[in-house]
Amino acid sequence: MDAGKLGFGPDTVIQELGWDEDVDEELRVEIERHTGNNLVDGDVGDVVDGVILWWRDGDGDLVDELVGSLQDLAEGGSVWLLTPKIGRPGYVPGADVVEAAPIAGLSTTTTSSASAEWAATRLTAHKR
């Protein structure tokens, strides 16, 4: 996936949550190249322009993690939820995302392929 399709512009700061050894390194590098900044972790403490959240079945409570992903997100920013595709270990049913998002104050907008192994769902925050 082209990092520009994620809506991240040059010179934006993107927070990465849920990193583990199974993430798509090529996508991570593409986002950093496109934005011109390294991805920051959950301890940044500053406002970020967007969030990528790697999430797998068994990672815990999706609603709690989505709420947490909003902590440093600037108004108008997006959360991209990256989940393993159907048939991959850790697959998360789309119904789980559709159910969790509104509870966390998010709207599901689009879902697309992020890579061979990962699907990406764009979530936007409700107006505060």
Side-chain angles (χ1 to χ4, degrees):
M1 172 178 253
D2 176 358
K5 290 181 182 174
L6 295 174
F8 303 147
D11 204 32
T12 55
V13 177
I14 308 305
Q15 185 175 60
E16 178 183 43
L17 303 171
W19 182 92
D20 206 340
E21 306 249 336
D22 62 347
V23 302
D24 187 300
E25 288 297 327
E26 288 181 25
L27 180 58
R28 295 178 78 248
V29 168
E30 172 67 16
I31 292 168
E32 290 178 337
R33 185 197 62 72
H34 183 76
T35 62
N37 292 306
N38 290 331
L39 295 170
V40 298
D41 63 22
D43 298 328
V44 68
D46 287 329
V47 173
V48 298
D49 302 299
V51 174
I52 59 170
L53 170 58
W54 304 95
W55 189 260
R56 304 140 202 93
D57 184 47
D59 277 356
D61 187 286
L62 181 56
V63 173
D64 288 347
E65 196 63 31
L66 290 173
V67 169
S69 74
L70 299 173
Q71 180 175 333
D72 299 322
L73 185 63
E75 188 159 342
S78 296
V79 175
W80 281 92
L81 180 65
L82 298 158
T83 56
K85 289 184 174 177
I86 293 174
R88 307 296 197 279
Y91 167 71
V92 177
D96 290 1
V97 176
V98 169
E99 183 179 305
I103 296 170
L106 294 161
S107 298
T108 305
T109 59
T110 58
T111 300
S112 59
S113 178
S115 69
E117 301 288 323
W118 294 87
T121 303
R122 182 174 183 251
L123 305 169
T124 56
H126 298 158
K127 297 285 183 202
R128 297 176 206 168

